[in-house]
């Protein structure tokens, strides 16, 4: 006997979507601090043994974020992420097949404020990654700083996040059996400071480390452009040279993370708050760019492949921008 459940009402669906987005925003803004506070506080209670045992486990497991992480499929497949997908909504678009016998290095653009498209498309199954790219295992790189936070590090790894260092990247890309995909948000934290609606500025002109990495491993490069990524939040005006921008850069140098002052809508009103706007995100995955393997590529060889990557990324943007309501006279700007 098959049991059928009545579909959820639209108001209830909206509330669940809002709740899923709130927990995602909370996880990046507050969860790390809460995990740290809980870890320390437990030492001063009768449950001190929990933190003591976790500290021992943490020491033994300290290299795991650089060794491919530890994904948990039940978390990646959670219904929470499907509600988050429908809130915006977010769509993953494939333009070419990926051979599961090969490894790939993907450059994700732009960063946006909180990299919503990168997280949902590659750290969850809400947009159907495994269906679109069967036999491919995605890994998204994140600042190593976040993996030093107790409990929070395990939450990050459960989705497929790995630390953003060369050792971690090499571990994923050197697997001979193939089927591994490494996603790097090339613009990083610094690019987040330019994330505002309508912006097409990418911090990419002098970012060549990922290209050198691809050449050293003979890994095809795949450009990704996420249309709508910059439209989720407004940002306090911070032009280059302003006191705010200088302060943000200084804090980034000290802490390793940027601190964009952003806002969007509230829970019950649309004028101000930290809840992202309901604006669609279309993450378009481009065609692989073949790369010839060389252990120690020269600067000229890196520059050549880097320029080819810029050309393919621009081509990807121009071919799809009309579909996603980007004005005809708007083009990518590399800085």
């Amino acid at each position: 006997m098959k049991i059928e459940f009545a579909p959820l009402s639209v108001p209830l669906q909206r509330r669940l979507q809002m709740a899923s987005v709130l927990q995602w925003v909370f996880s990046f803004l507050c969860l790390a601090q809460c995990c740290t506070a809980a870890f320390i506080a437990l030492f001063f209670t009768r449950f001190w043994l929990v933190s003591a045992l976790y500290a021992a486990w943490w020491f033994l497991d300290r290299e795991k974020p650089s060794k491919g992480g530890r994904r948990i499929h039940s978390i990646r497949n959670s219904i929470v992420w499907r509600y988050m997908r429908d809130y915006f909504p977010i769509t993953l678009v494939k333009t070419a097949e990926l051979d599961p016998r090969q490894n790939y290095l993907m450059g994700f653009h732009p960063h946006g404020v909180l990299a919503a498209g990168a997280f949902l498309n590659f750290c969850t199954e809400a947009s159907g990654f495994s269906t679109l790219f069967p036999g491919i295992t995605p890994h998204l790189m994140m600042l190593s700083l976040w993996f030093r936070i107790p409990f929070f590090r395990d939450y990050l790894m459960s989705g497929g996040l790995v630390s953003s260092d060369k050792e971690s990247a090499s571990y994923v890309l050197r697997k001979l059996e193939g089927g591994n995909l490494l996603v790097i948000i090339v613009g990083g934290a610094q690019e987040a400071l330019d994330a505002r609606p309508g912006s097409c500025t990418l911090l990419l002109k002098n970012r060549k480390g990922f290209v050198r990495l691809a050449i050293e491993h003979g890994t095809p490069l795949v450009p990704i452009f996420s249309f709508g990524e910059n439209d989720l939040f407004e940002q306090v005006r911070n032009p280059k040279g302003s006191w705010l921008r200088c302060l943000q850069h200084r804090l980034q140098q000290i802490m390793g993370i940027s601190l964009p002052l952003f806002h969007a809508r509230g829970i019950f009103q649309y004028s101000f708050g930290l809840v992202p706007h309901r604006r669609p995100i279309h993450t378009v995955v481009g065609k692989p760019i073949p790369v010839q393997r060389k252990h120690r590529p020269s600067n000229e060889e890196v520059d050549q492949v880097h320029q080819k990557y810029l050309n393919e990324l621009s081509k990807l943007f121009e071919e799809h921008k009309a579909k996603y309501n980007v004005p005809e006279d708007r083009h990518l700007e590399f800085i």
Side-chain angles (χ1 to χ4, degrees):
M1 180 178 178
K2 184 178 179 181
I3 300 176
E4 295 185 358
F5 296 93
L8 298 176
S9 64
V10 173
L12 181 55
Q13 289 180 5
R14 290 277 178 148
R15 292 191 188 99
L16 291 172
Q17 291 168 8
M18 177 69 75
S20 68
V21 171
L22 283 173
Q23 67 82 28
W24 168 70
V25 173
F26 170 80
S27 69
F28 280 94
L29 298 183
C30 305
L31 186 56
Q33 296 89 327
C34 292
C35 288
T36 303
F39 177 75
I40 296 173
L42 284 172
F43 275 112
F44 300 95
T45 70
R46 60 179 178 174
F47 301 106
W48 63 269
L49 188 59
V50 174
S51 286
L53 291 174
Y54 183 85
W57 158 254
W58 186 4
F59 176 77
L60 295 173
D61 194 55
R62 64 190 181 280
E63 294 185 358
K64 194 63 178 177
S66 297
K67 302 293 183 183
R70 184 188 302 103
R71 65 188 59 235
I72 301 175
H73 293 288
S74 59
I75 293 180
R76 283 180 58 89
N77 286 283
S78 172
I79 193 173
V80 171
W81 309 127
R82 295 200 290 276
Y83 283 121
M84 177 180 166
R85 172 201 65 195
D86 295 337
Y87 172 87
F88 295 101
I90 296 177
T91 307
L92 183 62
V93 181
K94 179 176 76 172
T95 63
E97 297 292 337
L98 298 184
D99 187 351
R101 294 170 296 182
Q102 278 193 309
N103 297 320
Y104 295 91
L105 195 159
M106 286 187 171
F108 184 94
H109 315 274
H111 184 286
V113 172
L114 294 179
F119 174 80
L120 191 128
N121 286 312
F122 302 108
C123 296
T124 81
E125 288 296 332
S127 58
F129 179 89
S130 295
T131 302
L132 288 173
F133 301 103
I136 304 291
T137 302
H139 302 80
L140 177 64
M141 300 195 86
M142 190 174 188
L143 284 173
S144 303
L145 167 71
W146 296 109
F147 294 94
R148 299 171 189 163
I149 300 173
F151 305 121
F152 189 61
R153 66 188 292 275
D154 300 284
Y155 167 73
L156 296 176
M157 286 193 291
S158 69
L161 284 155
V162 295
S163 60
S164 58
D165 53 63
K166 190 171 183 179
E167 178 189 357
S168 178
S170 296
Y171 182 89
V172 173
L173 296 178
R174 68 170 174 249
K175 291 191 175 180
L176 299 177
E177 65 271 20
N180 283 289
L181 173 68
L182 183 68
V183 183
I184 300 177
I185 307 178
V186 182
Q190 189 175 344
E191 190 177 78
L193 299 177
D194 288 314
R196 47 179 43 87
S199 174
C200 292
T201 301
L202 302 180
L203 187 61
L204 185 56
K205 192 174 183 179
N206 296 313
R207 298 271 171 128
K208 302 176 183 179
F210 73 106
V211 174
R212 185 178 295 276
L213 186 67
I215 296 174
E216 290 175 349
H217 290 85
T219 305
L221 283 164
V222 183
I224 302 173
F225 193 86
S226 194
F227 292 89
E229 193 74 44
N230 282 338
D231 298 337
L232 305 186
F233 297 95
E234 310 288 340
Q235 192 168 168
V236 175
R237 182 172 168 76
N238 60 342
K240 293 181 180 178
S242 65
W243 68 268
L244 177 57
R245 189 61 166 255
C246 293
L247 177 61
Q248 289 172 324
H249 275 305
R250 183 59 180 162
L251 290 174
Q252 181 188 347
Q253 292 173 351
I254 296 172
M255 300 186 297
I257 58 175
S258 65
L259 295 172
L261 297 180
F262 62 90
H263 60 90
R265 53 162 292 184
I267 299 175
F268 303 109
Q269 42 76 28
Y270 295 88
S271 58
F272 188 84
L274 295 179
V275 182
H277 294 298
R278 283 183 182 267
R279 293 172 182 168
I281 296 175
H282 301 279
T283 303
V284 183
V285 180
K287 300 176 182 178
I289 302 170
V291 175
Q292 185 176 1
R293 184 173 184 176
K294 190 170 185 179
H295 180 58
R296 291 183 179 177
S298 65
N299 290 336
E300 291 75 17
E301 289 169 323
V302 172
D303 289 342
Q304 185 178 4
V305 176
H306 182 260
Q307 186 58 52
K308 188 174 183 180
Y309 180 86
L310 295 182
N311 294 340
E312 290 297 320
L313 179 59
S314 295
K315 182 180 177 182
L316 180 70
F317 177 81
E318 296 295 334
E319 287 179 349
H320 292 86
K321 68 181 184 180
K323 302 176 188 176
Y324 307 122
N325 301 316
V326 178
E328 182 64 29
D329 60 350
R330 189 168 296 166
H331 309 282
L332 292 183
E333 179 185 359
F334 302 119
I335 60 173

